Amino acid sequence: MTPGRLRLGVNIDHVATIRNARGGDHPDPVRAAQIVAACGGDGITAHLREDRRHIRDEDLARIQAATSLPLNLEMAATEEMLAIALRHKPHAACIVPERREERTTEGGLDAAGQHNRLYPLVQRLLDADIRVSLFIAPEIAQIDAAIRLNAPVVELHTGEYAHAEGAARAVELKRIADMAALAARNGIEPHAGHGLTYDNVQPIAAIPQLAELNIGHYLIGEAIFTGLEASVLKMRELMDAARP
Ligand code: PXP
């Protein structure tokens, strides 16, 4: 990991989606993790969903054994996922919503509305030296909630930005930039992710407070045409070019 540089975490879930379509073991997300490590990715992100639709429990240990990159485990705020996180001790745990009632209209975790449920879970992860991140909409109320939850990291949801066009996109970009600055002023490390592509990544990458982007679907989709190494390297190049 190069300090000070915007980190790229690669979400390898959809390699597992393709594997699971046939129920066998190919393509193996572990091989994807190894390629990401070999071509300069800064981390592996994997979402263990309650229905195990892509990443499976046994993949976590295999990914951890196969590369020395930090693993960012995306997980719902449930006792089951907490136990798994405590067992595997990933570098980071990013709390994401899985059910409708857990999310804001934009799709981020409703950290503000669920303080009492989240607080003990976040503390138990922190006590285990797991860096907790909250995947939240770029809203003041959610940043305030992250502060009250002692979260060291927030991941700002870029889905609305990615879907917006023209003037609406500029509004979304400003919200993300403002909330990244607000998080940083309060000692929280801001990350961003969801829906990022070659076409829309650069304005996000240019936000100076952001420390990490987590990108999955587009990189794995491009890898079908160009290979994973090429798609990761091109994203890396665009991110670097966006920063002075
Ligand atoms: N960050 C988080 C918290 C996610 O849940 C996801 C996957 O939805 C991503 C980043 C990556 O998003 P995408 O696959 O759209 O690049």
Side-chain angles (χ1 to χ4, degrees), residues 227-240:
L228 185 56
E229 178 177 343
S231 71
V232 170
L233 287 176
K234 181 159 181 192
M235 191 61 83
R236 176 78 263 166
E237 216 175 278
L238 289 165
M239 287 164 57
D240 289 342

Side-chain angles (χ1 to χ4, degrees), residues 96-151:
V96 300
E98 283 208 11
R99 301 201 186 87
R100 282 246 149 258
E101 62 273 18
E102 295 169 339
R103 61 179 69 142
T104 60
T105 47
E106 291 173 39
L109 181 72
D110 185 10
Q114 296 192 77
H115 176 90
N116 292 346
R117 192 165 87 87
L118 292 171
Y119 190 85
L121 185 128
V122 169
Q123 288 312 307
R124 285 170 71 190
L125 290 167
L126 291 175
D127 288 346
D129 274 336
I130 299 170
R131 200 161 156 77
V132 177
S133 166
L134 304 176
F135 184 46
I136 56 170
E139 290 172 358
I140 291 174
Q142 300 300 338
I143 301 281
D144 284 347
I147 295 167
R148 288 196 302 277
L149 287 164
N150 300 322

Side-chain angles (χ1 to χ4, degrees), residues 138 156 172-182 207-209:
L156 300 173
E172 292 303 326
L173 179 63
K174 183 168 185 316
R175 279 178 357 113
I176 294 164
D178 288 348
M179 291 309 107
L182 179 64
I207 296 171
Q209 293 86 359

